Amino acid sequence: MSDANGSAAARAGGGPESVSWFERATRVTPGGVNSPVRGFGAVGGTPLVIRSAQGTTVVDVDGREYLDFVGSWGPLILGHAHPKVVAAVTAACARGMSYGAPCTEEIELAEEVVASYPGLEQVRFVSSGTEAVMSAVRLARGATGRDLIVKFSGCYHGHVDYLLVAAGSGLATFGQPSSAGVPEDFTALSRVAPLDDVDTLTRLFAVEGSRIAAVIIEPVPANNGLLLQRREFLETLRKLCTDHGTLLIFDEVISGFRLGPAGAAGHFGITPDLATFGKIVGGGMPVGAFGGRRELMRHLSPEGNVYQAGTLSGNPIAMSAGLATLRTLRDEDGWSRLDALGRYLAETLSPVLAGSPVPASLARLGSMFWIALHAAEPPRTAEALDPRCGALYAKIFHDLLGQGVAIAPSAFEIAFLSTAHERRDVDRLADALAAALGRLEP
Ligand SMILES: *Cc1c(COP(=O)(O)O)cnc(C)c1O
């Protein structure tokens, strides 16, 4: 429907109203955004300022409608403003916004999470994924009496200081701060290992295994493209942790309740010692959670001596949104419908990508997907990502936006299907992508 002119005109991103609002935003907020990836820094142009969203459609302040595959970066597995979630939240608001005391909603959601996830006996709610990770790591250190933490390059675990680390240049495993404001001393106890590399991991454990409190990994790394891991790699990791008395933390903030009620742990048949959640578990409200066996969780205050707290933790409105989301998924067979739609998406997009003038491939698991550019096969490690992706992605992104289709404004962020999507939405994405790829210079 859009011609070359149409997509060129849309290259700026948002229309005049978005531009005007965003101009105001940049005056009062750094970069105009409250989370960096929302700025269009990676693709150029002005972000859409959103007025409303419903189902698969987001509407910006210019009144333009977009078919959305961002889903608020993962939480909205039922689509925008699902009636059951809206009804649950509205009813909860009327009962009071926050009590600062135990409430029935947090108990019911905890029961739901514990019943869903392998090995989980107790869970504690917090207000973001970052907080969940930070608390799980403190718990792991407190419970083991050890200090070292291992993470993988390419995995994201929120913005806690000691996990904002990149592999150092000299010794591959020593973490260097990847953000200004993080002192080197704060990352001195962090180690960084490459994904998909059993040898490096084995060496790391051989040298420092008895000092490692925990290894944290996104079992389905989904914050640097979708770097799908081999089951054997995760199995080896599980075994190394067990052999060395190290706790394995699965960061399931994206994958939890997306791949199914049992998350990536269920998908791979591998049970971590601790797991972190966020995004879907809050149904679009600010929620995080972490949990594990009772024997570990009892170290948390007030039972144990690992301190952790939160004024709005277990907030009744947020808990109601999470509960309504999980119950609707269960009642409506959401996960198997999403799997089926994901398979249809792979069948539909793969031939389109095969015809691309630049090598491109699809990484997909369930309802998570990512278009890998300059890659005939989707990469498995951050080191294998092609830095030329960015410029090419920006063209495709703006072309799709011009056609009314929204994907994330960064080559390394993934896309999501929701239960609100139907096959015809996938068809529309495929057609728009084919047109965009056809306009690339070979
Ligand atoms: C989003 C995310 C986080 C951080 O969650 P916030 O709610 O943004 O703090 C942590 N880990 C993973 C895997 C994530 O995808």
Side-chain angles (χ1 to χ4, degrees), residues 128-130 133 156-158 218 223 251 253-254 279:
S128 72
T130 297
V133 165
Y156 176 70
H157 303 292
E218 286 181 84
N223 280 286
D251 182 351
V253 170
I254 281 196
K279 300 194 170 110

Side-chain angles (χ1 to χ4, degrees), residues 208-271:
E208 298 193 292
S210 62
R211 295 178 58 210
I212 303 172
V215 177
I216 185 164
I217 187 170
E218 286 181 84
V220 181
N223 280 286
N224 251 297
L226 189 60
L227 305 173
L228 297 175
Q229 297 301 293
R230 301 172 213 265
R231 180 191 304 273
E232 308 81 74
F233 176 70
L234 295 171
E235 279 169 350
T236 304
L237 172 61
R238 174 67 276 185
K239 184 166 186 319
L240 283 167
C241 286
T242 306
D243 291 351
H244 290 83
T246 294
L247 299 179
L248 176 60
I249 305 174
F250 273 3
D251 182 351
E252 299 239 30
V253 170
I254 281 196
S255 50
F257 298 100
R258 176 157 291 274
L259 293 178
H267 173 76
F268 287 111
I270 298 174
T271 305

Side-chain angles (χ1 to χ4, degrees), residues 295-313:
E295 155 255 318
L296 286 174
M297 296 298 283
R298 72 174 174 79
H299 289 277
L300 282 175
S301 53
E303 260 192 293
N305 56 8
V306 176
Y307 188 70
Q308 193 277 329
T311 302
L312 292 174
S313 295

Side-chain angles (χ1 to χ4, degrees), residues 99-111:
Y99 316 128
C103 65
T104 56
E105 293 87 348
E106 69 186 352
I107 299 165
E108 288 183 286
L109 186 57
E111 286 171 348

Side-chain angles (χ1 to χ4, degrees), residues 42-43 224-226 370-373 385-394 397 408-414:
V43 290
N224 251 297
L226 189 60
W370 176 59
I371 297 164
L373 299 172
L385 294 171
D386 192 316
R388 292 172 302 168
C389 290
L392 185 62
Y393 185 88
F397 168 82
S410 158
F412 303 109
E413 297 290 343
I414 71 166

